[in-house]
Every structure is written in structure tokens, then in C-alpha cells.
């Protein structure tokens, strides 16, 4: 039995001996992305999981499930099978059934120990209701809502799914997914640093009436040494990840032309970053107050004990520190265009690297990564 009631932008479904989300399952073969949130999976009947096993490597599947019978603590029991034994049995079963190596699709699995929600969706259609992604759920009376409006589906994916993932623990994914997480972080950090650079060494100046232009601020320029160091560390991490974890790990599978292009881009990126670091390093480590004090302490007036002499020493220290600052900032004269270009070049080089590695997506997706096994299996028992 499957009853449907039309609502704005969707359907209300009531099912018994049917899947209330059958329309979503039917869309699996047309989908590029599938997201499944469930309380459990079937122990014996694997028909629904078999639907996922039929998908090819171009389909991304995010699977989030609770782990029934797993608890934070296990009490002792006189029974032959203790609560910890039952938990271990279930954990082992979920590990086996959701093992990436049993699927062709790009499967990522999370465990959410507090989850009781059920969402089954593609980029085209979404089900939110009471039915689990388990074959036993078909036997129950279940109710849910089918969404077909693009904006509604997008809202579920962008607003609800990240909240569930944030309180989940990842069990398995592909190397490609891990790599793309790094890429997202690199681009964010890169943009953050260049925003800091803009605010630190540029200011707005009026060039004509009611017209302002960004120009180098040779009076108040400053750059955080911590942010510069973090930026260069991030670039080095990116280069190491690409060189060691991508090229070295998968070199036998990658076309030699792609390898040469990636290595060339890595060299160009390194050159640009070293040049930028060389220009900014002295400014970022410049401490006006500390330099003023150092200059003042070198003057005999500083040690005379006379307040006027002490004040004079500090004024002279300030003057000399300001001269040093001017000497540094004057090196930036005429470099307005360079800083503008470098802010385009470095993110573009990173993006070009990302584009080249997109050519070997299939290779990266085929490599499975397993995480958090020991914390998921908290029974203190081995499989």
C-alpha cells in the first residue's frame, strides 16, 4: 500500500509493504549524488544496499547511520552474550556491509550515534520521513514527505545534512574526498591571507573628486608574522600532499604528461610564494615598539636618571625606528601592480593544480581510506 497526497512542491506519502521513498530509489540510476541518513540498515536482507552496489564510480554516495546496540558504556552481565558482545557483533556487521571495497560508487560512511532522522535523497528528489533505509522498514506503516522542488532539495543538503555530519564520525571515504577537503581549506586560507594583505599594506586614496583607489600605505603598513608563516606553511603542506600523497603514491597509474604539468605548477607556485615571502618577511617581523626601546637603551641619556633625558632617549628611539620602517616600506614603492598580480597568481596556480588532479579523479576515488575504527569499536574486544 502506498498512499500519496499532493502538497505544494511535493507529496505526503503513507506506506505499508512498500518503500515510501521508492521514487528516490528509482532516481538512483540518474543521480550524480545520493545522501542517505538512517537509524539502521538491514542485518539479513540487503536489497537496498544492493541498489547502491549497482552504481558506478561517477556517483557520490554519503551514507549516515546510527549504530544500534553500541553504547558509551557497557555493563557487566551474567548472560552468555553480554551487551558488549552484542555491540561488537553489530559493529562488525555494519563494517562489513558498508565496506567501500564492496561498492563501485564513491562511498563515504559516517556513524552518528544520536541519529534517529531519516533522509533519503538525490540532487533531484528527497524523502524526509519515518522510514529507515532498511528492508524491514518496508513492513511498517511509515509516513514521509517527498520533495521535488530544487530549492527545497538544496536547502536540505546545505542546511540539514552538514548539521548531522557535524555530530557524526567518519568511518570510510575515498582518498579523493580527503584531498578535496584539503583543497577547500587551502583556498579559504589563501583568500584569508590576501584579505589580510590588502588591509595591511593598502589604503584608499582619493585620486580624483569622489574617486578612490587602493594604493600602498607606506605610513602604516603592517603584516602579521603569524599569518605570513601560516600562509607559507599551508602552501608547503599543499605541495607535500600533492607530491608525496598523490604523485608518489599513484605515479604508476598517472599519465606522464599530467605528472610533468603538476611538477611544473608546483615549481611555479614555490617561486611565487618565496618571492612574496622575501618581500614581506622583514615587514612582518618589524616590531616598532621593541626597536624604539632598543635604540633608546643604547643612548647614555636613557641611563642618566633624569626624566627629561629619558624622554629625549625615547623620542630619538622613535625617530630612528621610524627611519628603519620607512626604509622597509620604501622598497614597496612601485610594487602596487606586483601585489595585485600575486594575489591573482597564487590562487590561480592552486586552482590549476586542482584542475590537473581532476584528471586523475577516478584513480583517487578508487583508493579507500578507513578512519576511527578503534573509537567506533569501543567494546575493548577484537573482531
Amino acid at each position: 500500500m502506498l498512499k500519496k497526497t499532493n502538497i505544494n512542491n511535493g507529496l505526503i506519502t503513507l506506506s505499508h509493504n512498500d518503500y515510501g521513498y521508492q521514487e528516490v530509489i528509482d532516481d538512483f540510476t540518474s543521480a550524480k549524488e545520493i545522501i542517505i541518513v538512517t537509524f539502521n540498515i538491514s542485518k539479513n536482507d540487503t536489497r537496498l544496499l544492493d541498489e547502491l552496489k549497482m552504481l558506478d564510480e561517477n556517483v557520490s554516495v554519503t551514507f549516515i547511520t546510527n549504530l544500534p546496540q553500541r553504547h558509551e558504556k557497557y555493563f557487566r552481565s551474567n548472560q552468555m552474550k553480554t551487551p558488549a558482545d552484542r555491540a561488537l557483533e553489530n559493529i562488525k556487521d555494519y563494517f562489513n556491509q558498508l565496506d567501500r571495497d564492496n561498492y563501485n560508487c564513491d562511498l563515504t560512511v559516517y556513524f552518528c550515534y544520536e541519529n534517529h532522522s531519516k533522509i533519503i535523497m538525490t540532487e533531484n528528489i528527497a524523502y524526509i520521513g519515518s522510514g529507515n533505509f532498511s528492508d524491514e522498514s518496508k513492513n511498517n506503516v511509515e509516513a514521509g514527505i517527498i520533495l521535488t522542488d530544487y530549492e527545497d532539495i538544496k536547502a536540505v543538503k546545505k542546511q540539514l545534512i552538514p548539521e548531522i555530519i557535524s555530530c557524526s564520525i567518519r568511518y570510510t571515504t575515498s582518498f579523493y574526498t580527503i584531498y578535496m577537503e584539503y583543497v577547500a581549506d587551502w583556498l579559504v586560507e589563501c583568500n584569508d591571507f590576501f584579505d589580510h594583505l590588502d588591509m595591511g599594506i593598502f589604503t584608499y586614496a582619493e585620486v580624483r573628486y569622489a574617486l578612490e583607489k587602493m594604493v600602498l600605505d607606506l605610513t602604516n603598513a603592517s603584516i602579521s608574522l603569524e599569518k605570513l608563516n601560516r600562509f607559507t606553511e599551508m602552501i608547503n603542506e599543499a605541495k607535500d600532499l600533492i607530491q608525496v600523497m598523490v604523485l608518489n603514491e599513484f605515479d604508476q597509474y598517472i599519465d606522464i604528461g599530467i605528472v610533468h604539468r603538476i611538477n611544473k605548477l608546483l615549481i611555479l607556485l614555490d617561486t611565487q610564494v618565496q618571492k612574496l615571502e622575501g618581500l614581506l618577511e622583514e615587514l612582518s617581523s618589524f616590531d616598532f615598539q621593541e626597536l624604539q626601546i632598543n635604540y633608546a637603551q643604547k643612548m647614555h641619556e636613557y641611563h642618566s636618571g633624569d626624566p627629561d633625558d629619558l624622554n629625549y632617549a625615547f623620542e630619538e628611539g622613535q625617530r630612528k625606528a621610524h627611519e628603519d620602517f620607512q626604509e622597509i616600506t620604501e622598497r614597496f614603492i612601485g610594487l602596487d601592480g606586483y601585489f595585485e598580480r600575486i594575489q591573482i597568481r597564487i590562487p590561480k596556480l592552486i586552482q590549476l593544480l586542482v584542475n590537473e588532479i581532476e584528471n586523475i579523479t577516478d584513480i583517487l576515488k578508487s583508493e579507500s581510506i578507513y578512519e576511527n575504527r578503534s573509537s567506533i569499536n569501543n567494546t575493548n574486544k577484537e573482531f
Side-chain angles (χ1 to χ4, degrees):
M1 175 192 75
L2 183 61
K3 300 285 187 181
K4 299 180 181 179
T5 301
N6 289 317
I7 57 173
N8 290 337
N9 300 327
L11 297 168
I12 296 175
T13 69
L14 182 70
S15 60
H16 185 215
N17 296 322
D18 276 300
Y19 297 120
Y21 44 80
Q22 184 62 52
E23 290 177 67
V24 184
I25 296 174
D26 293 341
D27 191 56
F28 281 2
T29 54
S30 304
K32 294 181 180 178
E33 183 176 17
I34 297 169
I35 300 172
I36 296 166
V37 183
T38 183
F39 174 73
N40 63 6
I41 58 176
S42 298
K43 191 172 183 66
N44 300 313
D45 196 337
T46 61
R47 280 174 293 178
L48 286 174
L49 293 179
D50 288 343
E51 293 283 345
L52 300 179
K53 291 177 182 178
M54 292 167 57
L55 302 172
D56 64 32
E57 65 276 5
N58 296 315
V59 184
S60 169
V61 178
T62 300
F63 201 106
I64 308 168
T65 179
N66 203 319
L67 250 177
Q69 301 196 54
R70 182 197 181 278
H71 305 287
E72 291 304 309
K73 294 181 180 180
Y74 301 97
F75 298 100
R76 293 183 179 179
S77 172
N78 294 325
Q79 298 176 354
M80 290 185 63
K81 188 177 284 188
T82 67
D85 290 332
R86 287 192 289 273
L88 179 67
E89 185 179 286
N90 219 37
I91 292 168
K92 183 178 179 181
D93 179 59
Y94 275 55
F95 276 10
N96 289 337
Q97 291 206 63
L98 297 173
D99 190 329
R100 267 181 55 88
D101 292 340
N102 297 328
Y103 298 81
N104 294 317
C105 60
D106 185 18
L107 176 66
T108 297
V109 177
Y110 294 90
F111 292 118
C112 182
Y113 309 132
E114 299 170 346
N115 181 62
H116 202 263
S117 61
K118 293 92 180 178
I119 302 172
I120 300 156
M121 65 183 295
T122 70
E123 70 271 26
N124 307 311
I125 187 170
Y127 167 88
I128 303 175
S130 62
N132 285 302
F133 195 75
S134 66
D135 296 282
E136 292 82 2
S137 184
K138 185 177 182 179
N139 303 323
N140 302 329
V141 176
E142 306 282 7
I145 295 175
I146 297 283
L147 302 175
T148 54
D149 179 73
Y150 173 77
E151 291 300 325
D152 291 340
I153 295 168
K154 182 180 175 182
V156 173
K157 179 187 173 182
K158 297 293 185 182
Q159 298 177 33
L160 302 189
I161 301 302
E163 288 295 322
I164 300 172
I165 288 177
S166 70
C167 55
S168 304
I169 185 169
R170 189 163 59 193
Y171 164 56
T172 186
T173 190
S174 66
F175 182 89
Y176 176 78
T177 299
I178 301 289
Y179 165 74
M180 290 307 296
E181 288 174 352
Y182 278 111
V183 168
D185 289 342
W186 299 339
L187 294 174
V188 167
E189 288 197 48
C190 198
N191 290 332
D192 286 347
F193 175 73
F194 285 123
D195 285 345
H196 171 68
L197 186 63
D198 269 346
M199 292 185 290
I201 67 174
F202 286 95
T203 188
Y204 282 95
E206 189 172 330
V207 291
R208 288 199 304 271
Y209 177 72
L211 179 63
E212 289 186 330
K213 180 183 178 182
M214 283 189 72
V215 296
L216 285 169
D217 186 352
L218 301 182
T219 305
N220 303 299
S222 66
I223 290 291
S224 163
L225 180 61
E226 181 183 353
K227 287 185 180 293
L228 177 62
N229 287 340
R230 177 57 204 142
F231 173 71
T232 55
E233 285 172 11
M234 180 272 293
I235 294 295
N236 288 329
E237 287 170 7
K239 292 187 302 178
D240 288 346
L241 179 73
I242 293 170
Q243 185 65 59
V244 177
M245 295 182 69
V246 176
L247 296 185
N248 294 358
E249 185 72 21
F250 302 102
D251 62 335
Q252 59 183 316
Y253 307 109
I254 304 174
D255 179 81
I256 192 67
I258 295 174
V259 173
H260 286 329
R261 289 195 296 273
I262 290 175
N263 281 322
K264 185 177 180 180
L265 287 168
L266 287 172
I267 292 169
L268 288 171
L269 180 63
D270 190 50
T271 302
Q272 294 294 331
V273 172
Q274 284 188 22
K275 189 173 181 180
L276 179 65
E277 186 180 15
L279 281 168
L280 296 178
E281 190 170 21
E282 199 171 7
L283 176 64
S284 65
S285 43
F286 187 85
D287 188 325
F288 189 93
Q289 189 173 15
E290 182 180 353
L291 197 59
Q292 177 189 7
I293 293 171
N294 287 341
Y295 275 130
Q297 288 176 337
K298 291 177 182 177
M299 301 180 66
H300 71 273
E301 286 89 351
Y302 180 87
H303 306 281
S304 71
D306 187 321
D308 290 337
D309 285 348
L310 182 63
N311 188 53
Y312 173 76
F314 271 112
E315 287 178 351
E316 280 297 295
Q318 183 180 45
R319 182 184 63 78
K320 290 181 178 180
H322 187 67
E323 287 177 356
D324 288 355
F325 178 76
Q326 279 189 314
E327 186 179 335
I328 292 172
T329 56
E330 281 173 3
R331 296 172 195 163
F332 292 169
I333 293 175
L335 291 178
D336 307 56
Y338 166 75
F339 284 114
E340 290 172 1
R341 290 191 299 273
I342 205 75
Q343 286 175 285
I344 297 171
R345 283 176 185 167
I346 291 178
K348 186 175 181 179
L349 284 169
I350 293 176
Q351 190 60 58
L352 286 171
L353 281 165
V354 172
N355 294 345
E356 283 295 339
I357 292 174
E358 283 293 321
N359 293 321
I360 56 170
T361 294
D362 290 347
I363 296 171
L364 302 185
K365 284 183 177 180
S366 67
E367 183 73 11
S368 296
I369 303 291
Y370 295 89
E371 306 170 295
N372 304 305
R373 283 176 180 261
S374 58
S375 62
I376 296 169
N377 177 18
N378 65 343
T379 63
N380 292 323
K381 296 175 181 285
E382 297 295 331
F383 285 166

